[in-house]
Amino acid sequence: MLSWLQHRWIGLWLLLMALGALMLFFYGFFPLKYHSGKLARMDDLPNFIDGVSIDGQEVYNAGENSVVLMVIDGLRYDFASEEYMPFTGELLKNKSACIYVSVAEPPTVTMPRIKAMMTGSISTFADVALNFGAPAVRGDSVLRVASVRGRRSVLYGDDTWLRLFPGLWAEYDGTTSFYVTDYTEVDNNVTRHLDKVLTPDDDKEPTFDFLVLHYLGLDHIGHLEGARSPKIKPKLIEMDEVVKKIYIAMQTWDRTGVLIVCGDHGMRDAGGHGGATPAEVLIPLVVVKSGDFQCPHPRGPGPTVKQVDVATTVAWLLRAPPPGDSAGRVLPALLPADTRQHLYLLHALAAHCARHGLPTDTEFYKQFKRAEKQFAQYLATGQMSAAKIAKEFYDESLEAMSKYLTETTGEFDLFAISFATILLYIIAASLLCATLYSLQPDIRKPSTHHQPSTASLFVAFMIMFIIFSGVLVISCFITETKSQFCSFDPLWSIAFFGTVFALTVVYFVIKTGIETITDMSALRDLNAIDYLLIGGTLFHSWSFFGTSFIEEEHMTWYFFWNTLMFFVLIRTIVVIVMYFSKRLSRATEIQEKPELEQRMSSVGISILPKWVILIALHRYLRTMNQTGDRWLFLPDTADWLNAPENVFYLQAHLIIGTLSTLGICLWNVRHMNNSVHIHTALTIAAACSILCYRIAAGALDSPFPILKTWDTVTIVNIFWGILIAQLIYEILTYVGIFKNCGCSPNQNVNKFEYKKPKAKSEDYFYEPMDEPWNIDDVKLSLARSLSHIILNDLMLIIILLMRPHNVIMVPSVIATCSLTSKCLDHRLLDSRPGRGKDIADLISQTLVHIWIGMVFFFYQGNSNSLASVDLGAGYVGLSEYCAVRVGARMGLHAYAAPALAAAALHCRLARTHQWKRYLASVWRVSNIYALHRVYTLAVYCVVAVVFRHHLFVWSVFSPKLLYDFVATVFSIQALTTIAQIVLLTSLTSWLARIFTYKSTL
């Protein structure tokens, strides 16, 4: 099994196994919402109250109503005011409408909120992953019970409703909710139907029973420009005009009209949503009724209600039973005035909740029984005191029942969770063995250990596979788990034996590692800063046992980074002072080591002011975007730059960031085969495309007005074409196509020239396949070139996707990586004598680039809340929604800094002068990256399990799990990209053998 440890991509394969284990953990930790399968019927309404007969279907009658549910996506509570919505504010002021504070449970994204409003039950956190797919609801809903009762439902707006509730609409016109750059047409497509649908028929009755209007424009503005955008108020005034139109139309109907205006979720000041901050979970719920309706509450917000109350209320108004799994209540303003009917409605809702299997020994269930007895006494005697007591008891029990049902989620699959966590730790241990093995010096020397035959290895593997399978099967039966993982269904059997296979592989990796790891002398070269990097990296994951360290993770990284910068500053000062003191004293050490003076002179005393400037730059970048939860409300530099009066400074940031990035890209061109300056021209053309896009998108002014009329989609397509052409050109140059076509490149810049050294003697004979071509040198040149092309392309793509104020982050990441790499170079600044310190250098360089990526991740404004995901970046250059393209753009934008730092590190590795040394460095760095990612996953999964019943499990712990999942996927993509570069060098070498070798013989 030694070959497994020596395999160049062992880290990638083990990381893929860890991803599978994480998905198993997700299955156990995020169960889909359980539906009882019970479909509500009118016959379910109780006809006896503690032995007293009552006609339930007669009493459960709200009259003839037409209900309009107007959902304004992203409407948070402070938007429902007279300042933003004057007509609605006037209705509230005159008590012609009621307003409630509605609480939306996390995750505050659209699809789960719609399900809550229509089913009356809380969705699980797994629905956040299904938000873009929106599978059809399998349980009961208002729309189903209304359809059974013959009610006519109509939808105009977000097509998520159509995917959730297919076949239940008499009429509909859906609009896509994911194209966030459109906030005009997406609402006009809803409003254009109003004149027709609100006009009553000849009998002055509306043509619908239940009308859903879902407006998306407000949410899209928030995603693009934030909640303080100047476009927010005009959009809310537009929504207010729709409310006015509906209100006026309802007054002309012979039937009672009820308008419910609400949001599905709120939005942060930055515009995102998905978390649990007050701005995201507190939304207004306005009730307007035709006729002489007067709000029964004092001016201001009424009692706090839940979002699930919408389902129960709409079902009551449509004279349909509450949905089978609903746990809501009827909104107080719409409760019937008749005492008998009022009490019966409360009893019917309480009995409905009690049928969900509530424990009968709880106080709220006993309170329900007491209320039932008082209600029966009222029915029998007519005593109003009994009715009053019954109402109080019903209200108390209903409140507790609703809270119990909404807070009760599906059970965790502890077997799947436990096994996945154990597997993650075993994979982390195997990666530790693989990493330590790769860090041994002279590892490629032939092994003196006896190597068993392939047949014996296969037999040993199968024996362990059978043993692990048996242990896992026995564990399934002993624990008597109901986990699907132990169901042995065909699909789950594949997952079961796949995990056994992974377990067997990592067992042999660990076993072989323990046997072969013998020389860790390279770790003796680690210095104090290396131990700081290692200690900080290890401690960071364990800090998550405190919820604040998850919400405010950026503070941990800022502390680590500031500490590192201070240590490097002090150490650099000490080393340089010591060097110059020895030089002035003509120390023997300086005289005998001219290479030390050469290295020091290449950096010089200027490294100190550079490092001080870098510290100042980081202090400025730290103020750019407030992140986390605690200080998010404070103004930051981005708010100041985006203010209308500071547009000059914002554009200056954009231009400086873009031109600085262009300068870095042009500097990197020297590592490519820049024949006839093709790469220079293409890089400049790509940067010009970005500037043209910014001008056309209105982010940048231009003296040429025609540029503002250009199509942004066309510009971005040209940009992508330039990047693809650059990559194809480089590969074709390597193969030798242009040379064979007669286009011989300039020899001074041609890095892909195949040469065969002259033989030492005329009698020396080479086999045709063994001729000493400089293949390794050319392969290294191609790897170096492709690495820098990828880095350049990443930088250009990211400045295209980023908000204008954040563009300065891109050159800052590269500058930080470059200067930090110099300051941490062991051979330059380490005063201890010794041999080459390449391995220690690789460890420090890899860890510091991980730190740089995470620090800039938070500088950019990201956090562990779903609200910080910038949806606008996913639609740059797109004219229509495409899940793959949007998801890739959003992911790359979110993880821009880690991607740039990793690409910069790989470019540094490719600047070596030996092909084998480059491969060894890639092997070691890949193992370290994979180990860090799996170690982080393993520790945090334990944290999530320990706090699975914590109050903040869905608002704090669970979003962090999703971020870790995405980070793992991008880590796999990064290692796969490096593997593709190495594979491409071998593939093109084979092609070059066909096109180039023969032509030069």
Side-chain angles (χ1 to χ4, degrees):
M1 303 298 176
L2 182 60
S3 59
W4 292 0
L5 277 177
Q6 294 176 338
H7 196 281
R8 187 176 299 121
W9 308 115
I10 180 67
L12 175 58
W13 301 127
L14 291 175
L15 188 57
L16 284 168
M17 293 181 186
L19 180 64
L22 182 61
M23 294 175 69
L24 178 62
F25 183 91
F26 273 32
Y27 160 75
F29 197 82
F30 296 127
L32 296 177
K33 181 69 177 181
Y34 170 74
H35 294 286
S36 64
K38 180 176 178 57
L39 302 179
R41 301 176 303 168
M42 291 296 290
D43 293 339
D44 295 333
L45 295 173
N47 292 318
F48 291 92
I49 310 297
D50 195 31
V52 179
S53 175
I54 188 173
D55 189 346
Q57 297 196 26
E58 177 189 355
V59 181
Y60 188 86
N61 187 347
E64 293 292 332
N65 299 291
S66 287
V67 182
V68 181
L69 177 61
M70 181 179 176
V71 180
I72 304 176
D73 209 304
L75 182 70
R76 67 186 198 183
Y77 185 79
D78 59 329
F79 285 166
S81 62
E82 198 167 1
E83 176 187 359
Y84 293 104
M85 304 179 73
F87 180 77
T88 304
E90 187 66 23
L91 290 177
L92 295 172
K93 185 177 180 180
N94 297 333
K95 299 188 67 175
S96 299
C98 290
I99 185 170
Y100 299 96
V101 179
S102 178
V103 180
E105 299 291 335
T108 47
V109 291
T110 297
M111 190 271 281
R113 299 303 96 227
I114 293 176
K115 288 176 67 174
M117 286 190 288
M118 289 295 99
T119 64
S121 60
I122 296 297
S123 300
T124 63
F125 199 87
D127 281 331
V128 73
L130 304 174
N131 187 51
F132 295 95
V137 171
R138 292 179 293 176
D140 206 359
S141 67
V142 170
L143 291 162
R144 194 207 66 83
V145 295
S147 177
V148 171
R149 294 285 289 165
R151 308 297 183 243
R152 192 171 188 270
S153 300
V154 179
L155 166 71
Y156 300 122
D158 189 351
D159 58 2
T160 303
W161 293 78
L162 300 177
R163 296 194 296 272
L164 288 174
F165 309 104
L168 296 176
W169 305 97
E171 183 181 339
Y172 59 85
D173 183 16
T175 58
T176 180
S177 60
F178 296 122
Y179 197 71
V180 299
T181 56
D182 173 26
Y183 46 82
T184 303
E185 292 299 324
V186 73
D187 285 346
N188 291 342
N189 288 336
V190 179
T191 305
R192 64 192 175 96
H193 295 284
L194 289 184
D195 289 336
K196 174 186 174 183
V197 75
L198 295 177
T199 302
D201 58 17
D202 295 338
D203 296 328
K204 293 188 177 182
E205 291 190 355
T207 57
F208 63 88
D209 296 293
F210 182 37
L211 172 64
V212 177
L213 306 173
H214 192 136
Y215 285 92
L216 296 162
L218 180 69
D219 182 63
H220 290 184
I221 293 174
H223 281 300
L224 288 175
E225 302 186 17
R228 301 305 180 191
S229 168
K231 297 176 183 176
I232 291 288
K233 189 171 183 179
K235 175 57 67 174
L236 288 171
I237 291 176
E238 177 188 337
M239 296 295 98
D240 192 53
E241 288 297 319
V242 174
V243 172
K244 183 178 181 180
K245 181 187 287 286
I246 297 172
Y247 179 79
I248 293 174
M250 289 195 308
Q251 307 307 318
T252 65
W253 301 344
D254 273 351
R255 182 186 296 183
T256 303
V258 179
L259 170 63
I260 301 175
V261 182
C262 63
D264 54 347
H265 52 73
M267 69 169 68
R268 289 187 173 188
D269 286 344
H273 56 86
T277 62
E280 296 168 87
V281 300
L282 300 182
I283 57 178
L285 196 154
V286 179
V287 177
V288 186
K289 198 172 182 181
S290 61
D292 299 328
F293 173 74
Q294 283 289 309
C295 181
H297 314 299
R299 286 190 179 90
T304 300
V305 299
K306 292 183 172 64
Q307 208 169 37
V308 295
D309 294 345
V310 174
T312 308
T313 301
V314 173
W316 154 252
L317 292 173
L318 297 179
R319 294 188 299 165
D325 294 316
S326 67
R329 308 169 64 186
V330 174
L331 296 175
L334 297 175
L335 287 168
D338 179 73
T339 302
R340 177 169 172 266
Q341 191 179 31
H342 188 139
L343 290 175
Y344 179 82
L345 179 58
L346 295 179
H347 176 81
L349 295 179
H352 177 79
C353 291
R355 286 195 295 268
H356 288 280
L358 296 178
T360 57
D361 58 344
T362 55
E363 180 60 28
F364 57 76
Y365 187 85
K366 295 176 181 178
Q367 191 78 328
F368 160 61
K369 287 300 182 181
R370 297 187 195 109
E372 186 179 29
K373 292 184 180 297
Q374 293 294 326
F375 183 25
Q377 183 177 349
Y378 166 73
L379 292 176
T381 64
Q383 293 179 359
M384 293 305 297
S385 59
K388 183 179 180 181
I389 295 174
K391 182 180 183 304
E392 292 177 359
F393 285 176
Y394 275 130
D395 285 337
E396 292 175 6
S397 61
L398 265 174
E399 178 69 24
M401 286 180 179
S402 179
K403 182 179 180 181
Y404 177 86
L405 291 174
T406 54
E407 291 181 355
T408 303
T409 59
E411 295 183 359
F412 295 104
D413 187 340
L414 291 179
F415 185 89
I417 291 174
S418 302
F419 180 70
T421 305
I422 293 171
L423 184 57
L424 280 172
Y425 269 92
I426 296 175
I427 294 174
S430 66
L431 271 168
L432 177 61
C433 291
T435 303
L436 293 177
Y437 178 83
S438 66
L439 295 178
Q440 296 182 110
D442 302 325
I443 196 63
R444 292 298 180 180
K445 286 185 177 180
S447 175
T448 58
H449 296 283
H450 173 69
Q451 297 294 326
S453 64
T454 304
S456 61
L457 291 176
F458 178 77
V459 172
F461 185 88
M462 292 306 300
I463 290 174
M464 295 308 303
F465 182 86
I466 293 172
I467 291 174
F468 285 131
S469 298
V471 171
L472 198 54
V473 169
I474 293 172
S475 300
C476 288
F477 285 103
I478 290 178
T479 58
E480 297 182 354
T481 179
K482 297 180 180 179
S483 173
Q484 286 291 318
F485 183 71
C486 292
S487 65
F488 299 105
D489 290 337
L491 290 178
W492 278 106
S493 295
I494 297 174
F496 183 90
F497 290 108
T499 53
V500 174
F501 176 83
L503 194 60
T504 309
V505 169
V506 296
Y507 164 77
F508 280 105
V509 171
I510 295 173
K511 178 179 179 297
T512 309
I514 293 174
E515 294 172 351
T516 56
I517 298 173
T518 57
D519 183 7
M520 288 286 98
S521 59
L523 300 183
R524 298 173 187 169
D525 295 328
L526 298 178
N527 55 34
I529 292 182
D530 298 330
Y531 287 116
L532 172 64
L533 289 168
I534 295 172
T537 304
L538 294 176
F539 171 77
H540 164 255
S541 298
W542 291 98
S543 70
F544 293 140
F545 276 95
T547 57
S548 296
F549 285 97
I550 301 175
E551 294 175 299
E552 313 296 333
E553 185 185 355
H554 62 287
M555 300 302 293
T556 303
W557 283 113
Y558 291 169
F559 174 77
F560 283 170
W561 183 249
N562 290 340
T563 303
L564 177 66
M565 296 189 83
F566 175 76
F567 268 75
V568 172
L569 177 65
I570 298 301
R571 184 169 173 271
T572 304
I573 293 174
V574 170
V575 170
I576 291 180
V577 169
M578 288 180 62
Y579 167 77
F580 279 103
S581 64
K582 290 181 180 181
R583 183 178 178 183
L584 292 175
S585 63
R586 298 183 178 274
T588 306
E589 183 180 355
I590 299 296
Q591 297 176 3
E592 293 178 353
K593 295 182 179 181
E595 70 277 3
L596 180 60
E597 182 173 0
Q598 183 180 359
R599 293 195 193 104
M600 186 62 72
S601 61
S602 65
V603 178
I605 196 68
S606 63
I607 195 171
L608 285 180
K610 288 179 181 177
W611 192 253
V612 172
I613 292 173
L614 185 68
I615 292 175
L617 174 63
H618 276 257
R619 185 64 188 90
Y620 173 70
L621 294 176
R622 181 174 173 176
T623 67
M624 184 64 71
N625 298 285
Q626 291 288 354
T627 186
D629 284 333
R630 189 174 183 182
W631 312 112
L632 189 62
F633 66 93
L634 295 178
D636 49 38
T637 304
D639 294 330
W640 184 84
L641 288 172
N642 285 287
E645 63 271 16
N646 298 319
V647 65
F648 170 79
Y649 301 101
L650 177 63
Q651 294 184 2
H653 263 71
L654 177 58
I655 294 175
I656 291 172
T658 304
L659 295 183
S660 299
T661 304
L662 175 60
I664 295 172
C665 290
L666 294 178
W667 179 251
N668 288 338
V669 164
R670 74 188 192 279
H671 297 290
M672 308 172 197
N673 195 46
N674 194 21
S675 302
V676 202
H677 301 290
I678 295 295
H679 280 302
T680 301
L682 291 175
T683 303
I684 294 174
C688 290
S689 299
I690 294 172
L691 292 174
C692 290
Y693 169 81
R694 295 293 186 180
I695 294 171
L700 194 62
D701 293 333
S702 170
F704 307 103
I706 191 173
L707 295 179
K708 295 185 178 181
T709 64
W710 288 5
D711 181 38
T712 56
V713 176
T714 303
I715 296 173
V716 174
N717 288 338
I718 293 173
F719 169 80
W720 288 113
I722 293 172
L723 299 188
I724 295 172
Q726 189 176 23
L727 180 62
I728 294 175
Y729 169 78
E730 194 74 347
I731 295 175
L732 293 180
T733 304
Y734 170 83
V735 173
I737 294 293
F738 297 114
K739 186 173 182 180
N740 290 321
C741 293
C743 302
S744 180
N746 185 353
Q747 296 296 324
N748 294 327
V749 296
N750 184 22
K751 301 176 182 297
F752 298 153
E753 181 69 16
Y754 283 94
K755 298 176 182 178
K756 182 172 67 173
K758 293 181 180 180
K760 295 181 179 179
S761 67
E762 295 296 333
D763 298 331
Y764 198 89
F765 176 75
Y766 295 114
E767 290 291 337
M769 296 302 296
D770 297 331
E771 292 179 346
W773 293 89
N774 59 335
I775 297 176
D776 284 354
D777 293 339
V778 179
K779 289 170 71 174
L780 181 59
S781 295
L782 178 62
R784 185 184 303 121
S785 175
L786 291 178
S787 301
H788 285 84
I789 287 177
I790 290 175
L791 177 59
N792 282 7
D793 289 353
L794 272 177
M795 289 191 290
L796 293 172
I797 293 169
I798 289 168
I799 64 172
L800 175 70
L801 299 179
M802 274 190 170
R803 298 291 177 97
H805 64 270
N806 275 337
V807 169
I808 196 69
M809 298 283 178
V810 174
S812 300
V813 171
I814 305 302
T816 302
C817 291
S818 176
L819 189 56
T820 306
S821 296
K822 286 184 179 181
C823 290
L824 295 187
D825 192 331
H826 289 71
R827 292 165 297 180
L828 178 66
L829 298 179
D830 213 330
S831 58
R832 293 180 301 174
R835 56 185 177 180
K837 301 179 180 180
D838 294 341
I839 294 177
D841 209 41
L842 278 177
I843 295 174
S844 62
Q845 294 293 337
T846 304
L847 293 180
V848 81
H849 279 79
I850 291 174
W851 282 31
I852 292 171
M854 292 309 302
V855 167
F856 275 92
F857 174 84
F858 292 108
Y859 283 170
Q860 188 182 331
N862 294 313
S863 70
N864 288 322
S865 170
L866 300 178
S868 62
V869 178
D870 187 357
L871 296 184
Y875 297 86
V876 172
L878 293 181
S879 57
E880 59 184 13
Y881 175 70
C882 174
V884 176
R885 293 181 180 181
V886 170
R889 284 168 166 82
M890 286 170 51
L892 179 58
H893 175 267
Y895 286 91
L900 286 175
L905 174 61
H906 186 235
C907 288
R908 178 179 173 82
L909 299 180
R911 291 171 194 157
T912 185
H913 300 291
Q914 295 179 5
W915 173 249
K916 292 184 179 179
R917 183 177 177 182
Y918 164 74
L919 293 180
S921 299
V922 166
W923 175 41
R924 288 163 172 154
V925 169
S926 299
N927 288 342
I928 296 173
Y929 256 94
L931 173 61
H932 168 260
R933 183 95 298 275
V934 177
Y935 167 77
T936 303
L937 285 177
V939 173
Y940 190 71
C941 283
V942 172
V943 174
V945 172
V946 171
F947 291 101
R948 65 186 182 277
H949 296 301
H950 195 278
L951 180 63
F952 300 144
V953 63
W954 304 123
S955 58
V956 176
F957 293 97
S958 297
K960 172 63 176 174
L961 273 175
L962 295 181
Y963 271 98
D964 274 346
F965 175 81
V966 176
T968 304
V969 171
F970 271 87
S971 297
I972 292 173
Q973 175 59 46
L975 297 185
T976 303
T977 301
I978 299 174
Q980 289 171 343
I981 291 176
V982 176
L983 177 63
L984 197 58
T985 59
S986 300
L987 177 62
T988 46
S989 292
W990 176 78
L991 293 175
R993 183 178 293 113
I994 298 175
F995 290 101
T996 305
Y997 291 12
K998 295 181 180 179
S999 64
T1000 56
L1001 289 176

